Amino acid sequence: MSGAGGMARWRHLPARVAGHWKSGLAGLLLALLAPPVAAVYRVEVDAPQPVRALLTEFLDLARYRQRADLSDEQLQFLIDTAPAQVQRLASTEGYFSPATTVTLEGEGEQRVVRVRVTLNERTEVGQANIDVTGAVVQEAPQRVAAIRDSWALPVGRPFVQSEWERAKQEGLQRLQNSRYAGARIAHSEARIKADDHQAQLAVQYDSGPAFTLGALEITGTRRYSPGIIQNVNPLQRGEPYSAERLLELQRQIQNTPYFSNVVVGIDNDVQHAEMAPVKVRVSEFQTQRIRAGAGYTTDAGAKVEGRYTHLNVFDRAVVFDSQLRIEQQRQYGALDLALPPDRSSFVNSANTSFDRSTLQGVDLRSLRAGVKRARAREKYDIAYTLDYYRDELQQLNDLPLPAGTVAQPGKHQALVPGVSWARRDVDDPIFPRRGNLVALQVGAALQGLLTDQSFVRMYGRARQYLPVGERDLVILRSELGAL
């Protein structure tokens, strides 16, 4: 930062506390070279709220106040350099001409250093020139207009260094997030007219060429075939680059059970913008996992449970999952076997489970077995199922059935084909604030085909997200089912 005639010019200014390290370094050197004479003291900062916390944290006087080896000469040096530090720190908040007085009161360990600061008038943005060059000017001029219209530090706003840096980066990200991965800040300048309390801002973005996506380059796979990643890849070769689309690929890979960490990106070399390779780096889960536990519940008594998972059965990424839970009045076991995703991203699986409970005078045994073909995408899920249910209910010691029991004693069975469908149209897949979710399920059974009685069952649910202000949210939910 240099100044002449009340004017200063900043180019690519770093963090808001940049500059105060020089006096801090000098103070530290003095602390190392001078004889250790104790100068313990307290610091009281009397400054307006916008800079009080900043000065309390970063002033060298405050940082070294507990140094027992600080000499009187070193303390005086910190006092003498404090006004210059205050000026540098306050300028990051838009106050370029603060008035500072520093006094030392008391004796010995009761000494107090009082720093009094008057900020004077705050510097405001008087001019903001946003310029964009590169392919985006001809290919998507509306995006240039959007960057200018959404500029985060407009005329009339106080000039704050951190907001200046944030505004520049937000404009850059608007280019980099879609098509122009190699966009950069070609030039930026904040020219401060301290006497007029005005800041003249200028930034020039260079979008570079538009990027398109090429083939996947996969690294990190050892146990599992790279074909798993290829099969869940939603990207098309030659499509325009989009950061959101790369995140979609990342989420699709993480939805598989094989990888603990996934990083997806491209090289933003503007010389190779066409068909830029998509680099996928993964870390794999261990092949086998064993979990076990024990506990107690008032309904079912003491219990032990365990789970064993193998992610690479037959060395073909076939997932085997088994669970067993044994309680005093309930026993449950389940087995699942799932193939890796096929070329259409569908996962084919088979499952079976057995559940027995002896509660409230009823011995209920439930067997379930089925097959499933399912695909989960960014916005749409679909699953086709065929499930067989077999229940057996017996009364224990001729006790009466609990109120509300629907099934009668005896054996019951049903073979139920079904389909389920879900759609997610939200602004954020993890923390949605706007949009909606819709899910539908339909199943049917025909008497005589491993089924005691014909029936159709339907179920649907919907959820609508409505943002209210910046923080609050209204959620509307509806459910409907019929048998």
Side-chain angles (χ1 to χ4, degrees):
M1 174 177 173
S2 61
M7 180 179 294
R9 181 178 299 174
W10 292 5
R11 290 187 176 89
H12 295 296
L13 192 67
R16 64 180 184 176
V17 296
H20 83 280
W21 63 271
K22 295 183 179 178
S23 59
L25 180 59
L28 181 60
L29 290 175
L30 285 174
L32 295 175
L33 297 176
V37 179
V40 180
Y41 59 92
R42 291 187 298 112
V43 176
E44 294 183 0
V45 177
D46 181 9
Q49 188 61 37
V51 299
R52 185 183 305 158
L54 185 66
L55 300 179
T56 301
E57 182 176 0
F58 291 107
L59 270 180
D60 285 345
L61 274 170
R63 295 170 58 215
Y64 293 123
R65 66 185 183 277
Q66 295 180 346
R67 287 287 298 268
D69 59 345
L70 200 67
S71 69
D72 292 338
E73 291 79 5
Q74 293 161 353
L75 176 57
Q76 188 59 50
F77 174 82
L78 296 179
I79 292 173
D80 293 340
T81 57
Q85 274 198 322
V86 170
Q87 195 277 333
R88 284 192 292 271
L89 291 169
S91 66
T92 65
E93 294 295 320
Y95 299 97
F96 287 86
S97 55
T100 305
T101 60
V102 185
T103 59
L104 177 62
E105 303 173 4
E107 298 291 339
E109 295 186 358
Q110 302 302 316
R111 286 183 289 187
V112 179
V113 178
R114 302 186 189 280
V115 182
R116 296 180 176 87
V117 179
T118 302
L119 291 180
N120 298 319
E121 188 175 345
R122 195 174 199 179
T123 296
E124 296 181 347
V125 177
Q127 182 178 340
N129 294 324
I130 316 302
D131 188 27
V132 182
T133 62
V136 68
V137 177
Q138 299 296 326
E139 296 173 351
Q142 70 279 4
R143 295 185 60 183
V144 177
I147 291 174
R148 290 173 176 152
D149 293 342
S150 62
W151 177 248
L153 198 57
V155 173
R157 285 277 295 274
F159 176 81
V160 178
Q161 177 64 23
S162 59
E163 294 188 11
W164 164 232
E165 296 295 336
R166 180 174 61 86
K168 290 189 294 184
Q169 290 302 315
E170 285 182 357
L172 181 62
Q173 288 174 3
R174 285 180 175 273
L175 289 171
Q176 292 179 336
N177 286 343
S178 178
R179 298 192 67 181
Y180 304 99
R184 63 186 181 91
I185 297 176
H187 173 77
S188 70
E189 178 180 84
R191 181 174 296 184
I192 307 301
K193 294 184 176 181
D195 293 341
D196 298 330
H197 307 290
Q198 294 285 306
Q200 295 180 343
L201 309 182
V203 59
Q204 183 183 73
Y205 298 104
D206 179 5
S207 73
F211 278 64
T212 57
L213 299 180
L216 300 188
E217 291 185 358
I218 302 169
T219 58
T221 53
R222 295 183 295 113
R223 304 180 184 91
Y224 312 117
S225 168
I228 295 173
I229 297 174
Q230 297 282 4
N231 287 348
V232 299
N233 176 26
L235 307 179
Q236 301 293 326
R237 290 194 184 187
E239 73 170 81
Y241 161 82
S242 167
E244 179 56 37
R245 288 284 283 165
L246 296 189
L247 287 175
E248 182 179 342
L249 170 60
Q250 183 183 49
R251 288 190 288 264
Q252 289 295 108
I253 298 172
Q254 289 177 324
N255 284 339
T256 70
Y258 308 104
F259 306 106
S260 60
N261 187 52
V262 181
V263 178
V264 178
I266 66 170
D267 289 334
N268 59 355
D269 184 358
V270 296
Q271 301 299 321
H272 302 89
E274 188 174 351
M275 301 296 288
V278 178
K279 299 180 181 296
V280 180
R281 186 171 71 252
V282 298
S283 300
E284 299 177 335
F285 277 121
Q286 294 294 326
T287 302
Q288 302 181 66
R289 291 197 297 264
I290 299 177
R291 286 156 285 182
Y296 179 84
T297 62
T298 55
D299 290 338
K303 68 175 181 179
V304 293
E305 58 185 331
R307 186 170 184 173
Y308 171 71
T309 305
H310 196 304
L311 301 179
N312 199 20
V313 178
F314 312 126
D315 289 328
R316 294 187 177 276
V318 176
V319 178
F320 172 76
D321 188 35
S322 61
Q323 301 179 59
L324 181 64
R325 183 169 63 248
I326 300 176
E327 303 172 347
Q328 287 179 282
Q329 296 180 326
R330 185 177 182 181
Q331 299 82 45
Y332 173 80
L335 299 174
D336 291 272
L337 197 67
L339 301 177
D342 61 20
R343 293 184 178 180
S344 300
S345 300
F346 276 96
V347 174
N348 299 315
S349 61
N351 61 84
T352 183
S353 65
F354 178 79
D355 190 357
R356 182 188 181 188
S357 63
T358 52
L359 299 170
Q360 298 182 303
V362 174
D363 183 351
L364 178 60
R365 308 181 187 192
S366 299
L367 172 68
R368 178 179 177 178
V371 292
K372 182 177 182 180
R373 178 171 171 80
R375 180 174 65 189
R377 288 287 179 87
E378 184 75 4
K379 291 188 175 183
Y380 295 94
D381 297 343
I382 190 167
Y384 305 97
T385 58
L386 180 63
D387 292 307
Y388 173 72
Y389 301 87
R390 181 178 179 86
D391 291 347
E392 182 177 351
L393 187 149
Q394 296 180 356
Q395 294 174 264
L396 298 176
N397 302 321
D398 296 325
L399 293 174
L401 292 175
T405 302
V406 177
Q408 296 300 312
K411 298 180 180 179
H412 311 278
Q413 65 177 355
L415 181 66
V416 185
V419 60
S420 62
W421 174 88
R423 188 201 67 185
R424 291 174 293 275
D425 186 11
V426 292
D427 57 345
D428 188 296
I430 301 176
F431 302 107
R433 281 183 49 82
R434 186 187 303 275
N436 55 74
L437 305 174
V438 178
L440 301 172
Q441 298 178 20
V442 178
L446 185 62
Q447 185 177 4
L449 294 179
L450 298 177
T451 301
D452 296 340
Q453 183 177 351
S454 299
F455 65 87
V456 175
R457 65 184 183 194
M458 296 174 289
Y459 172 73
R461 68 178 185 273
R463 180 174 296 183
Q464 181 72 43
Y465 296 92
L466 301 172
V468 179
E470 294 185 359
R471 299 180 55 184
D472 297 323
L473 180 67
V474 173
I475 300 176
L476 304 178
R477 186 181 67 183
S478 62
E479 295 183 75
L480 180 66
L483 179 62

